[in-house]
Amino acid sequence: MSGERVIGGYALRRVLGRGGMGEVHLATTPTGGLAAVKVIHPELARDPAFRRRFEREVAAARRVARFCTAPVLDAGLDGDVAYLVTEYVKGPDLAQAVREQGPLSGSDLEALAVGIATALGAIHGAGVVHRDLKPSNVLLSPLGPRVIDFGIAQLVDADSLASQAILGTPAFMAPEQVRGEPLGPAADVYAWGGVIAFAGTGRLPFGGGAPAEVLYRIVNEGPRLDGLDEGLRDVVERAMAKEPRGRPTAQQLLASLMGGTHLTPATATQVVERTWTGPRGLAGPVDGAFLRGAGPVDGASVRSAGPVDGASVRSAHGISASVQGPPDVSGTALVTPAAHASGQIAPSASGDVWDAAVPSASGRNALSDGGSPQARGGVARRRWPWVAAIVVAVAAVVVGPVVVPRMWEGRPYTAGFGDSWATGASDGGDARVTGSDYVLTAKPGWRLWKSAPAREPDGGVVVSAKARREQGSGEYGVWCHGSASSGDRYEFGVSGSGQVTIVKRRTGQKGTPLYGPAAAKVSAGTNRIVAECADVGSGGGKVGLRMWVNERLVAEVSDASDPLGSGEAGVYAAPDAKEALRVRFESFATDRTKD
């Protein structure tokens, strides 16, 4: 794959979409999967204020749980370029699906409502306000809806940019957003109501026309909800109350949708996945299998997550200047309070056109009393027929295996541990091949580390191993940029107590911690550990170090203090008590960081 551009260790394969803030690319990850990488324009990334805001908002986005969302997996600054990596969600967006196949109905519409409410609960639980929930930010995967573009939303903060300007899509703005007031989670609940109304009727809840006219209707009129199922309409009406305090929270919204049943986000996600059938004839599974997090393939609709400073990077399904039929309402407007007062609406930073020729609508909604879902009636006392069966079924669900592409096929080196790996006893312990596995038993007070019988590729390496602790306590993992003769190496370790570390070691010196110990989701059984040692810049002046455990990025740091160069890689075990530590390595592989 020569000629590919590599940013932050991600090899960009092709452009999926462009916008005023940058481009979205299909990319190969360091571990061999695929992801959507949003690359921000260099002129923005060079701005120190933007860089600070970008880092702060990405940190917030990464706290969002994965329930019914496309989570942010990674982000960083690579020279003059800021980039954001999101999990792949295969499928069309809701705007495209409605445009091409008409409104959703029945269990799909209900699952959509539950799924988006679940996603909002996860987003708000991380202290994030989406601020731009709309049909084009809901992808319809084979397993259900996934909310995107919360990735760089502002934290809930009265002093945030959200309180100084109106950022969002006119058709789905809350009244307080139109008025330029501080935004909270209630603004997202309002947008949820508008999205569900659009999904179930094919109409914008406040009609089309000039954006200023739509904004006026949002503040002064009620949404047009005729055509929605009566029970669902009741929930949407309460979600679209004019005053934020009159709307349910995302959790109350979910309870109302489930007929008063309070489900955990994980169970609600399973309910959606077991109920969802999805749009027909659009983007479906690949070879009959959904590759969760593996990345898009040719022809798939892909969006990365996260409006940056109020402007979205568009995918191939972005808005056009002319809309036929139910509109793809993905335009983003930046409207200051002064501009709204004068009736002038500024175009978005991306230059997209918001144009939807849909008849206007009227009809006021009733304000909620702000009480519990049960106190307000409606579906709070009604259980949708599909809910009871699905909730019972979920208790016995065994989710089928997720098909993931092989990560190391055709790469420079994959271990068969019988192939020249060192075996036998030593002062530090014992190494032996057992079947197809490699077992290290390290003595107390020693670090037992072994080299793979192949040198690292030049320019940087990704090392992968699957291992499990069988006896004792301590840490184990992989190392790279090392030398069996000198003892130099970067160690990437996990421990039974759920800690991860990156340590630089040199012969005769105490190890230098570069990251951790820090808590991570470490399995009590087998863990997949992936480490990257990437030479950064020319002259070997810095090495970028990243670590994944069970496909999650858990650590990222760099070493610019006399960094280690390419050499050998391998595995190690180190007990932390008086008992020996035995670790079984089931696989080992190395790969170059660039093709």
Side-chain angles (χ1 to χ4, degrees), residues 382-445:
R382 171 178 175 257
R383 188 182 302 276
W384 289 343
W386 60 277
V387 171
I390 293 300
V391 171
V392 172
V394 164
V397 165
V398 177
V399 179
V402 176
V403 180
V404 178
R406 292 183 61 186
M407 292 184 176
W408 305 104
E409 186 173 8
R411 302 306 176 103
Y413 176 77
T414 300
F417 286 112
D419 179 21
S420 301
W421 283 73
T423 58
S426 64
D427 290 342
D430 179 79
R432 65 184 59 219
V433 176
T434 303
S436 61
D437 299 339
Y438 192 52
V439 179
L440 298 184
T441 304
K443 294 180 181 179

Side-chain angles (χ1 to χ4, degrees), residues 268-363:
T269 301
Q270 290 185 31
V271 167
V272 171
E273 293 178 353
R274 298 286 290 183
T275 307
W276 180 254
T277 60
R280 306 292 189 271
L282 295 174
V286 182
D287 296 332
F290 174 51
L291 309 184
R292 186 194 300 274
V297 296
D298 290 345
S301 168
V302 179
R303 291 176 187 272
S304 70
V308 181
D309 201 15
S312 297
V313 178
R314 303 292 177 215
S315 78
H317 299 290
I319 194 69
S320 62
S322 175
V323 179
Q324 301 296 324
D328 178 350
V329 284
S330 60
T332 299
L334 171 58
V335 187
T336 65
H340 172 252
S342 65
Q344 300 298 316
I345 305 300
S348 71
S350 63
D352 296 321
V353 178
W354 187 81
D355 183 299
V358 180
S360 62
S362 61

Side-chain angles (χ1 to χ4, degrees), residues 219-533:
V219 173
N220 296 284
E221 300 177 3
R224 182 179 176 184
L225 303 178
D226 53 298
L228 277 179
D229 171 82
E230 180 181 352
L232 186 56
R233 176 173 175 169
D234 176 81
V235 184
V236 170
E237 282 183 340
R238 288 187 280 111
M240 299 186 76
K242 294 298 183 190
E243 295 300 323
R245 63 177 178 272
R247 302 169 202 151
T249 65
Q251 294 298 329
Q252 291 171 336
L253 194 65
L254 183 59
S256 294
L257 292 168
M258 301 303 294
T261 301
H262 291 269
L263 300 181
T264 66
T267 303
T269 301
Q270 290 185 31
V271 167
V272 171
E273 293 178 353
R274 298 286 290 183
T275 307
W276 180 254
T277 60
R280 306 292 189 271
L282 295 174
V286 182
D287 296 332
F290 174 51
L291 309 184
R292 186 194 300 274
V297 296
D298 290 345
S301 168
V302 179
R303 291 176 187 272
S304 70
V308 181
D309 201 15
S312 297
V313 178
R314 303 292 177 215
S315 78
H317 299 290
I319 194 69
S320 62
S322 175
V323 179
Q324 301 296 324
D328 178 350
V329 284
S330 60
T332 299
L334 171 58
V335 187
T336 65
H340 172 252
S342 65
Q344 300 298 316
I345 305 300
S348 71
S350 63
D352 296 321
V353 178
W354 187 81
D355 183 299
V358 180
S360 62
S362 61
R364 304 186 64 84
N365 65 314
L367 294 178
S368 166
D369 62 6
S372 67
Q374 290 79 3
R376 289 192 292 266
V379 295
R381 295 192 299 268
R382 171 178 175 257
R383 188 182 302 276
W384 289 343
W386 60 277
V387 171
I390 293 300
V391 171
V392 172
V394 164
V397 165
V398 177
V399 179
V402 176
V403 180
V404 178
R406 292 183 61 186
M407 292 184 176
W408 305 104
E409 186 173 8
R411 302 306 176 103
Y413 176 77
T414 300
F417 286 112
D419 179 21
S420 301
W421 283 73
T423 58
S426 64
D427 290 342
D430 179 79
R432 65 184 59 219
V433 176
T434 303
S436 61
D437 299 339
Y438 192 52
V439 179
L440 298 184
T441 304
K443 294 180 181 179
W446 288 83
R447 305 186 76 81
L448 185 60
W449 56 287
K450 299 295 181 179
S451 301
R455 284 188 59 83
E456 296 175 339
D458 293 334
V461 66
V462 174
V463 182
S464 169
K466 290 179 67 176
R468 70 176 185 271
R469 179 175 54 89
E470 292 189 330
Q471 173 189 312
S473 61
E475 69 177 61
Y476 60 91
V478 300
W479 54 271
C480 56
H481 274 27
S483 169
S485 59
S486 71
D488 297 348
R489 62 196 183 275
Y490 292 112
E491 289 183 349
F492 301 77
V494 302
S495 69
S497 60
Q499 302 287 310
V500 298
T501 57
I502 300 177
V503 177
K504 179 182 180 180
R505 297 195 178 276
R506 287 190 180 276
T507 300
Q509 301 178 18
K510 185 177 180 180
T512 303
L514 301 177
Y515 182 89
K521 291 186 177 180
V522 177
S523 170
T526 299
N527 289 287
R528 182 179 182 85
I529 305 165
V530 179
E532 178 187 41
C533 292

